[in-house]
Amino acid sequence: HVCVQVWTTVMSQVEWNKKEELVAEQALKHLKQYTPLFEAFTTVARSELVLMLKTQEFCYGNMNFMKVFQKIILLFYKTDVLSEEVILKWYKEGHSVKGKMMFLDQMKKFIEWLQNAEEGGRGGDARPRWVYRRSGDYLIQSEAGHPAGQGTGGGPANQEVRTVVSSNDSSEDSNKIKE
């Protein structure tokens, strides 16, 4: 698969920090530059799953990346490289045995959120489009509402949901604030 070659090339361009706590930020910053490239080669579910498996394999094979897997998947989800359906499929049946329990555990809260969003009747490809901005020690996550009448299942137009995610909190616990 081309997406595996893209991953291998992109990840081999950098000399990764030896400190686990610094490698996550370095990796996300590096990968973010290439998300349009990854998106171009993950146009079907099969290639998305292959990329997830390659990411899992890479994180398993590089000790400093063991805790970064979920953050990479979240980045790929937010930038439309990976779809909700493929992430759920990976979680339920498509994952590799390499580091299985650790990676499934890392993904648990995100998977629960995806399942709750799915059950909430969002319908179609109306998954949230997240916008992130840094504010001090926090990452502010916003979901801009969809214009009324676009088949999103109703709800007020231009509703915004903000999630505050502490940059120091690796468990991704968050507080939702509805405006």
Side-chain angles (χ1 to χ4, degrees):
H1 264 135
V2 176
C3 60
V4 170
Q5 292 172 326
V6 171
W7 171 270
T8 303
T9 303
V10 165
M11 295 306 278
S12 67
Q13 291 179 342
V14 177
E15 187 170 324
W16 298 107
N17 201 304
K18 302 286 184 251
K19 294 185 178 175
E20 189 177 320
E21 61 275 7
L22 299 177
V23 82
E25 187 176 334
Q26 182 188 18
L28 295 175
K29 187 176 180 181
H30 179 67
L31 285 168
K32 190 170 186 160
Q33 300 173 69
Y34 295 97
T35 55
L37 182 62
F38 283 112
E39 187 178 4
F41 291 105
T42 54
T43 55
V44 296
R46 177 75 185 127
S47 59
E48 289 181 41
L49 187 58
V50 167
L51 179 60
M52 276 196 82
L53 290 168
K54 182 61 184 172
T55 305
Q56 180 182 352
E57 180 185 302
F58 180 87
C59 291
Y60 180 76
N62 296 277
M63 286 303 290
N64 289 343
F65 280 84
M66 292 290 275
K67 294 180 180 172
V68 185
F69 176 75
Q70 186 266 349
K71 293 175 181 173
I72 293 171
I73 299 305
L74 185 59
L75 170 69
F76 284 162
Y77 172 73
K78 291 183 307 194
T79 56
D80 292 327
V81 172
L82 297 175
S83 67
E84 173 181 321
E85 295 77 21
V86 169
I87 295 170
L88 291 171
K89 179 179 174 59
W90 171 89
Y91 188 79
K92 291 173 187 166
E93 62 195 54
H95 50 266
S96 165
V97 295
K98 294 179 178 180
K100 173 185 167 183
M101 293 314 294
M102 174 189 258
F103 296 130
L104 291 178
D105 189 53
Q106 276 184 37
M107 294 292 288
K108 191 172 196 269
K109 287 183 181 180
F110 180 53
I111 294 297
E112 288 170 0
W113 179 85
L114 286 176
Q115 289 170 334
N116 290 337
E118 191 176 72
E119 290 165 10
R122 296 192 67 91
D125 189 29
R127 69 178 190 211
R129 301 293 184 236
W130 298 110
V131 179
Y132 284 79
R133 67 182 191 280
R134 188 163 292 286
S135 174
D137 287 339
Y138 295 93
L139 197 58
I140 308 295
Q141 177 188 47
S142 301
E143 176 191 354
H146 302 278
Q150 298 246 335
T152 60
N158 298 324
Q159 178 184 28
E160 183 176 78
V161 176
R162 286 190 183 146
T163 305
V164 180
V165 182
S166 168
S167 62
N168 299 327
D169 184 10
S170 63
S171 70
E172 297 294 327
D173 284 333
S174 59
N175 305 310
K176 283 214 172 215
I177 307 162
K178 277 211 174 201
E179 292 182 356

